[in-house]
Amino acid sequence: MSIHQLDPGCAALSGKTVAVVHPAWHSCGTHQVIASQIRAYKRLGARVLSIALMDDVTPSIGRGERWKNYRLHSQDLAADETYESSATIADLFKTSLLKDGWLPLIHGDHATWLVELVKRAPLPEALDSRP
């Protein structure tokens, strides 16, 4: 059964909140998968949070040109709330990130880099202050 065949009255996730944590990519197939996941969760009745992660370590996370470009090209994400996070500049200089993330990245292993980024990215302030 596809998501389009679900009865709109069937809200299996009604009253639930789902966070979709994803790379802040907008120009690849990953973005389409993220957009589809968000639509599916919403169709199931969930309130959906998008938490985008990028390796942009500008002093104020979310204000750099890469973030602006991401926002401009990802307006199709139908999340109820959107958040952004990144590792800090200090994290990029830590040997473990360079060893565990950077080396595989330059060899085409984006997943390893993203795992290391997620380990170091703080929870967005607006979410961190929730009870």
Side-chain angles (χ1 to χ4, degrees), residues 53 87 91 96-97 100 112-122:
L53 301 174
D91 288 322
S96 62
L97 181 59
D100 299 335
T112 298
W113 176 257
L114 291 172
V115 166
E116 294 303 319
L117 180 62
V118 169
K119 287 179 185 178
R120 291 161 177 83

Side-chain angles (χ1 to χ4, degrees), residues 1-2 14 25 32 36-37 45 52-54 56 58 64 73 88-89 92 95 97 109 111 125 127-128 130:
M1 172 184 301
S2 79
S14 182
W25 296 342
Q32 295 307 315
S36 294
Q37 286 175 328
L53 301 174
M54 184 187 297
D56 178 1
T58 52
H73 293 95
T88 66
I89 191 74
L92 290 183
T95 310
L97 181 59
D109 182 355
E125 283 184 32
L127 290 175
D128 199 25
R130 287 186 175 191

Side-chain angles (χ1 to χ4, degrees), residues 40-87:
Y41 285 129
K42 288 187 67 71
R43 183 141 173 111
L44 290 169
R47 183 173 142 264
V48 181
L49 311 180
S50 163
I51 304 175
L53 301 174
M54 184 187 297
D55 53 357
D56 178 1
V57 293
T58 52
S60 297
I61 291 173
R63 295 202 177 127
E65 288 303 314
R66 289 176 59 207
W67 279 110
K68 290 175 186 174
N69 190 42
Y70 167 73
R71 280 187 220 106
L72 177 68
H73 293 95
S74 62
Q75 295 176 17
D76 60 327
L77 296 183
D80 297 297
E81 296 176 34
T82 59
Y83 299 93
E84 299 166 349
S85 188
S86 179

Side-chain angles (χ1 to χ4, degrees), residues 1-8 35-36 39-40 43-44:
M1 172 184 301
S2 79
I3 191 72
H4 300 290
Q5 295 171 317
L6 290 174
D7 175 4
S36 294
R39 283 192 306 273
R43 183 141 173 111
L44 290 169

